[in-house]
Amino acid sequence: MAFAERLKELRKQAHLTQVELAKRLGIGQSSYADWERGKKKPTQENLVKIAQVLSVSIDYLRSEEHTSE
């Protein structure tokens, strides 16, 4: 599973909209949407924030396999 797909799936599992998650991450919704569309990748700093907000490891976010922790 690609990062963008995993990110979208995790966001939906957390019952958050793109706007809500972007706000928690301190970024704009359009920047967040680019990540979900696979247009851009988050910085290491934002990757850490995503992992914290969604309660997953950075390795899980980055892994291409579909295995939960």
Side-chain angles (χ1 to χ4, degrees), residues 2-4 34-35 38-44 46-47 62 64:
F3 172 79
D34 284 344
W35 298 345
K39 284 188 168 186
K40 294 183 180 174
K41 297 258 186 190
T43 62
Q44 181 66 26
N46 281 325
L47 208 53
R62 286 185 172 163
E64 294 297 320

Side-chain angles (χ1 to χ4, degrees), residues 51-69:
Q52 289 171 340
V53 171
L54 296 176
S55 301
V56 295
S57 70
I58 292 173
D59 288 341
Y60 179 71
L61 284 171
R62 286 185 172 163
S63 78
E64 294 297 320
E65 298 171 24
H66 187 68
T67 55
S68 58
E69 297 198 47

